[in-house]
Amino acid sequence: MSTQIQIFDTTLRDGEQSPGFSMNQDEKLRLALQLERMQADVIEAGFPIASEGDFNTVREISKNITQSTVAALCRTTKKDIERAAASLEPAAKPRIHTFIATSDIHMKYKLKKNRKEVMESAIKAVELSKQYCDEVEFSAEDASRSDPEFLFEIFEAVIDAGANVINVPDTVGYAMPWEFGQLIKSIRREVPNIDQATLSVHCHNDLGVGVANSLMALKNGAQQIECTINGIGERAGNASLEEIVMAIATREEEMSTNIVTEQLVPSSKLLSEITGHKVQPNKAVVGDNAFAHEAGIHQHGVLNNPMTYEIMTPKSVGLKSNKIVLGKHSGRFALDKKLQKMGYALTKDKLNQVYMKFTDLADEKKKVSEKDLLNLISQTLPQRKISGDDIRTL
Ligand code: KIV
Ligand code: ZN
C-alpha cells in the first residue's frame, strides 16, 4: 500500500511574499479555486495580521473553499493568533499555522529571546490556537540551522500542547539533501510523541535543492510537503509543487498524492497569467519546452515512440500533446511528418529539395512555422504547386 503524502500549497502566502508576485483578493480567490480543483490538501491563504487586505482575502477564501483545508499563518503572539482565527471563521476545514524561529541566530538577532522564552511562546501559541481551531500546525522557523536537541524538545512540547502538524522549514535554503534527510530521520527517532502529529517540511531553493530536500525528507519519514506552483516564494523561491508531485507520480511506487496531475499546467498558467511572470521554457513539468523536441534524433525517436524521450505523458500534466518544433536541429523525418500533417506527402526527391531549403531557412530563423513551410513548398515546387508526380500515396 502506498503512503499518501499531503500537499500543502503556500503559493498564496510564501509565494505571494516574493517581489513582483503580489495578487489582489479576486486573483487570489481565482487561484485558490484552481488549487482546490487540483485537489491540494491544504491551501495556505495568507498572513492575516499583515494587512486588512490579507485578512479579508483569507476570509473570502475560507468562505469559498469547501474541500481543501484552508490555513492562515501567524506568529506566536495572541494578537496574531486571534486575527488568524477570525479570518478562518467561515472555513469548512480551518488550520491555524503558528511559527517561531528556533535557530540561535534568529533568536538572538531577530527575536531577542532565549531558548526558554521561545519554548514558552511556542507552547502558549499552540494552546491558544487550539481554543479556536482543532487543527494547529507549528513551524520552527530556520529549523535546519537550529540546534537539533532544542528542536526535538520544542517539537515534543508543542505536540503535547496539541499541535497536529509539526513543520521543519529550511527557511534559508541552506540544507543539503543528505543532511536534511538525516534531520528528518532524527526527528522521527528522537521526538517520543512524533507519531501523534503529521511531520511536514518546507524547503526554500537558495541553493537550487528545494525539491531534492523535500524528496529526501519524504524518504526519511516526512508526510506533508509545503510547496508552491512554479516554485515561487521568498528569494529563490520554494520547492516547486509540480516537480514534487510528478517526481512522486513517476518514480515513487510506495508514495502517492491526491493531486489531479492534469491540473498542473492549468494551475501554472493561471498563476503566470495573474502575476505576469512566465516560467522559464526549460522549467521541469510546466515549462514550454518540457515536452518539446527540436533535435532530429529526438524527433525521430519520439515520433516512433514518445517514451524514447518522454518519461511522463503530456496529457498527465494537462497538455494536449507534445510539440515537435522545426528548427535547425531538425531532420528529414520530422519535416516529412509535419508536411504529411499539412497534407503534403512528398516523394523522397522532392522532400530532399524542400529539406535543403528548410535547413537554409532554419539557419536564419529560430523556429520554422507552418507558413514558412508553405512558402518553401511553393518555392521548391513552383509551377504546379503539388502535382501527382510530386506526391506519394498518403
Ligand atoms: O520559510 C519559512 O520558515 C516559512 C515559515 C513561516 C513556515 O515560511
Ligand atoms: Zn518559507
Side-chain angles (χ1 to χ4, degrees):
M1 219 188 73
S2 76
T3 310
Q4 189 79 30
I5 304 301
Q6 298 287 297
I7 298 293
F8 176 117
D9 179 282
T10 182
T11 310
L12 296 170
R13 199 279 298 168
D14 212 326
E16 206 235 357
Q17 275 172 224
S18 47
F21 283 85
S22 62
M23 300 173 230
N24 65 33
Q25 184 172 312
D26 285 353
E27 291 167 339
K28 279 187 156 188
L29 182 57
R30 252 177 95 199
L31 194 57
L33 292 167
Q34 172 59 27
L35 296 174
E36 183 168 58
R37 201 168 299 125
M38 194 185 71
Q39 290 184 20
D41 300 289
V42 185
I43 298 171
E44 187 162 56
F47 191 10
I49 196 79
S51 69
E52 192 66 22
D54 236 23
F55 175 86
N56 291 332
T57 300
V58 178
R59 242 187 115 78
E60 209 45 40
I61 290 174
S62 297
K63 282 184 203 156
N64 285 280
I65 295 296
T66 54
Q67 302 304 310
S68 307
T69 295
V70 178
L73 186 70
C74 51
R75 289 165 297 190
T76 50
T77 62
K78 187 166 184 281
K79 219 169 131 198
D80 266 50
I81 294 166
E82 284 173 352
R83 198 77 176 138
S87 71
L88 289 171
E89 235 168 34
K93 299 179 188 171
R95 177 185 294 183
I96 293 181
H97 178 191
T98 184
F99 76 99
I100 191 163
T102 51
S103 64
D104 289 339
I105 183 168
H106 276 237
M107 289 188 289
K108 181 169 176 193
Y109 292 101
K110 190 182 77 178
L111 299 176
K112 304 197 187 324
K113 283 187 197 293
N114 60 33
R115 289 186 182 190
K116 190 165 171 280
E117 289 164 324
V118 165
M119 173 73 88
E120 279 166 11
S121 260
I123 295 170
K124 265 180 141 170
V126 171
E127 283 170 352
L128 179 61
S129 301
K130 281 302 261 196
Q131 290 177 23
Y132 293 105
C133 197
D134 287 342
E135 226 172 272
V136 173
E137 170 167 339
F138 171 78
S139 281
E141 193 189 11
D142 207 17
S144 54
R145 293 193 302 170
S146 303
D147 173 2
E149 293 302 323
F150 181 50
L151 211 54
F152 304 150
E153 274 171 40
I154 201 163
F155 283 161
E156 182 181 355
V158 294
I159 294 172
D160 276 344
N164 318 69
V165 183
I166 293 301
N167 185 37
V168 186
D170 182 25
T171 302
V172 290
Y174 180 72
M176 285 285 112
W178 47 94
E179 287 168 0
F180 200 62
Q182 284 310 306
L183 176 64
I184 299 306
K185 197 180 202 161
S186 65
I187 291 169
R188 277 238 157 270
R189 191 181 56 234
E190 302 295 334
V191 178
N193 50 3
I194 194 70
D195 287 342
Q196 292 167 35
T198 297
L199 183 53
S200 168
V201 294
H202 174 116
C203 298
H204 278 269
N205 211 25
D206 298 67
L207 293 173
V209 290
V211 170
N213 281 344
S214 306
L215 294 172
M216 278 304 273
L218 289 181
K219 281 284 182 204
N220 286 282
Q223 299 148 307
Q224 174 182 279
I225 299 288
E226 301 195 357
C227 46
T228 59
I229 300 292
N230 295 346
I232 69 168
E234 288 276 6
R235 304 178 310 280
N238 287 63
S240 138
L241 181 147
E242 55 279 359
E243 293 177 23
I244 290 167
V245 166
M246 288 316 289
I248 293 173
T250 309
R251 296 301 314 274
E252 291 296 345
E253 275 164 24
E254 68 287 13
M255 291 177 204
S256 57
T257 71
N258 285 321
I259 297 294
V260 179
T261 59
E262 290 78 5
Q263 291 297 333
L264 291 172
V265 168
S267 302
S268 163
K269 287 206 178 318
L270 179 60
L271 177 63
S272 292
E273 182 202 313
I274 288 174
T275 60
H277 292 288
K278 274 198 84 178
V279 296
Q280 80 267 26
N282 61 320
K283 168 84 173 64
V285 184
V286 295
D288 275 354
N289 287 353
F291 293 89
H293 309 277
E294 189 195 308
I297 295 170
H298 290 214
Q299 291 179 332
H300 198 150
V302 164
L303 288 165
N304 284 338
N305 180 347
M307 284 173 78
T308 51
Y309 287 100
E310 287 174 6
I311 57 166
M312 316 162 239
T313 66
K315 285 201 170 61
S316 69
V317 302
L319 288 169
K320 281 204 182 77
S321 66
N322 59 16
K323 266 193 276 183
I324 300 293
V325 180
L326 291 178
K328 71 171 187 180
H329 304 106
S330 306
R332 270 182 197 73
F333 189 78
L335 178 65
D336 190 25
K337 286 270 185 217
K338 178 69 188 174
L339 291 175
Q340 283 183 40
K341 257 196 176 161
M342 292 165 62
Y344 301 103
L346 303 185
T347 58
K348 204 170 166 199
D349 247 21
K350 299 293 174 199
L351 178 66
N352 278 343
Q353 284 177 39
V354 175
Y355 183 68
M356 299 303 280
K357 289 229 165 21
F358 163 79
T359 49
D360 288 346
L361 183 66
D363 262 339
E364 286 164 31
K365 292 192 78 181
K366 287 199 181 351
K367 275 187 201 169
V368 177
S369 67
E370 266 190 27
K371 199 167 153 217
D372 294 327
L373 289 179
L374 286 173
N375 282 340
L376 282 187
I377 295 253
S378 55
Q379 281 165 25
T380 319
L381 313 164
Q383 311 86 345
R384 300 149 287 128
K385 297 274 162 39
I386 306 293
S387 81
D389 292 344
D390 305 319
I391 302 176
R392 67 176 191 262
T393 317
L394 271 170

